[in-house]
Amino acid sequence: MTAPQDEENRPRPQDEENRQHSQAPQHPPAVPGRPASGYPAAGQVSAAQQPASPVPRAGQPPVRQVHAPSPAQQAKPAQAQAPTAESATVARPATQAAVAAAAAAATPARAQPLAAPDAAGQGPPGTVYDGGQPPGPNGNGHGGVSGRLARLRIGWHTLSRPALAQMRISAPGTGLILGSDRQQKPVAVRMFRPESTRVTLVGGAWAGQLVAFRALALGARVALVAADPQAWHGFGERATGRSDRLTVLGAEQPLALAATPQQPVLVVYDLGVVGAATPQPLGPWQTQLTVLRRLDQPGVPAIQDCNLVILQRLASAEAAHAGGALKLPSNSTQFLQVMAEDMVALVGDGTLRYISLAQTDIEHQHLGAPRR
């Protein structure tokens, strides 16, 4: 009875083999194309580069991936090893370094300034810095260009005496623009000169006021002798906003008005069909403007004894008087009768020119539309 029982309890070789196999460490099943050591084969992605580590099966120890092996290590036959505490300790810093490197690569590089100032607060040539400014929005300690200019070097702004002698200051023009020619170029006349000047206008009050308006724009003072002062009432105030730039006189009388290049004097005689009986003696920068509302024989001397004649559109009799007194050709005498309302003829120094008065908006506002 004892022998069979001992024979039953005696360990068998197959049971011994099974006991050793149960005590040995368990390894994950082999995956096709992947070594048993857990490293990826050539051409595969390591576990550190994957988004998440593979989840081990229940009852199996975790497998830590440190980094991809070198080609020489991949060539060696893989051997299955159980994870140890030393390998886990080494893998942790390596994993942290890999995470830090990945975060640095994902963070956009910060823009570096093109030129940074040195310790003295001076930047490279062509830049200006102000070291006293608070830090700018980018934290580089400079809020931007300060706007200060470089110091002027002594000697750069000096000239030699010959070069200084060649420098001239352009004087303002003394011409009065009466209109524009056929090419739309402005036409100016020397209304005010160092010597006395006489101008005769054959036309209506509108044309006389236009000439006076433009003379006031040049800074001139106007003295008016008119047979009908009501036609000029308020003209000076409307044109200049002042009451001392135009003086209206009821009869011919001596005028004591000093004239300068900056403030010339225009004396206007608006007496109808004749000129002034005793005109005002003229001096430098003084000009006399005679306005003839109609050209008859009594007014012919006024257009003969002057420096410039301004003619609006004339009637047939007026054109005959003007043509004979000024010795104009017949075709010009005929054209004087058909000119437009805003055209005038300039006769002076033996020449005849037709121009358009080119009235401005403000002149149209104060004087109205062109008319005779």
Side-chain angles (χ1 to χ4, degrees):
M1 294 296 291
T2 306
Q5 183 177 5
D6 294 340
E7 184 67 23
E8 183 180 359
N9 297 331
R10 182 181 303 172
R12 299 176 183 179
Q14 185 176 1
D15 297 338
E16 181 67 22
E17 183 179 359
N18 293 336
R19 184 181 62 83
Q20 294 178 359
H21 180 72
S22 61
Q23 293 178 359
Q26 300 295 328
H27 298 282
V31 180
R34 180 171 181 178
S37 61
Y39 293 114
Q44 295 182 354
V45 181
S46 63
Q49 298 174 348
Q50 294 179 358
S53 302
V55 180
R57 296 181 180 179
Q60 296 181 356
V63 179
R64 296 183 179 273
Q65 302 292 340
V66 181
H67 53 77
S70 62
Q73 293 175 347
Q74 293 180 3
K76 294 181 181 180
Q79 298 179 359
Q81 296 181 358
T84 60
E86 182 180 358
S87 63
T89 305
V90 175
R92 187 175 293 107
T95 304
Q96 294 176 356
V99 173
T107 304
R110 187 174 184 178
Q112 299 294 333
L114 298 179
D118 54 15
Q122 299 294 333
T127 60
V128 181
Y129 296 96
D130 186 4
Q133 290 186 351
N138 56 0
N140 59 0
H142 296 279
V145 179
S146 63
R148 295 184 302 177
L149 300 177
R151 294 182 179 180
L152 180 64
R153 294 179 179 270
I154 298 177
W156 286 7
H157 59 286
T158 58
L159 291 176
S160 61
R161 291 185 178 275
L164 184 61
Q166 296 178 0
M167 295 185 64
R168 295 289 185 272
I169 300 176
S170 59
T174 57
L176 185 146
I177 297 179
L178 280 181
S180 58
D181 58 9
R182 185 176 300 177
Q183 287 75 29
Q184 302 300 319
K185 295 182 179 180
V187 177
V189 297
R190 297 195 63 185
M191 182 68 68
F192 304 103
R193 304 183 296 172
E195 59 273 13
S196 59
T197 305
R198 287 179 171 83
V199 180
T200 300
L201 167 64
V202 179
W206 177 89
Q209 291 179 355
L210 178 65
V211 175
F213 188 93
R214 296 182 178 180
L216 291 170
L218 290 180
R221 296 180 61 184
V222 178
L224 172 65
V225 180
D228 183 14
Q230 189 64 28
W232 293 77
H233 178 73
F235 173 77
E237 288 78 0
R238 294 193 306 268
T240 64
R242 299 170 54 179
S243 59
D244 58 344
R245 295 286 302 277
L246 187 146
T247 303
V248 180
L249 305 176
E252 300 183 29
Q253 63 185 41
L255 299 176
L257 295 178
T260 63
Q262 292 75 24
Q263 193 176 51
V265 173
L266 177 65
V267 182
V268 180
Y269 291 96
D270 183 13
L271 302 177
V273 296
V274 295
T278 56
Q280 168 76 21
L282 300 177
W285 305 106
Q286 290 182 347
T287 299
Q288 171 184 307
L289 174 62
T290 302
V291 179
L292 299 178
R293 299 293 186 92
R294 187 178 69 255
L295 181 59
D296 289 334
Q297 188 60 38
V300 170
I303 64 174
Q304 290 178 328
D305 187 16
C306 64
N307 303 107
L308 177 67
V309 178
I310 304 175
L311 302 174
Q312 273 192 293
R313 186 174 58 188
L314 303 178
S316 176
E318 294 177 320
H321 288 298
L326 300 175
K327 300 180 180 180
L328 300 178
S330 58
N331 57 349
S332 298
T333 303
Q334 294 176 359
F335 187 75
L336 290 175
Q337 306 175 41
V338 296
M339 290 192 308
E341 293 286 351
D342 62 342
M343 290 185 61
V344 294
L346 304 180
V347 183
D349 297 331
T351 61
L352 171 64
R353 298 184 63 180
Y354 300 95
I355 67 171
S356 173
L357 292 175
Q359 187 182 21
T360 63
D361 293 340
I362 189 171
E363 290 172 348
H364 187 277
Q365 178 182 355
H366 287 283
L367 305 176
R371 59 191 181 278
R372 165 110 189 249

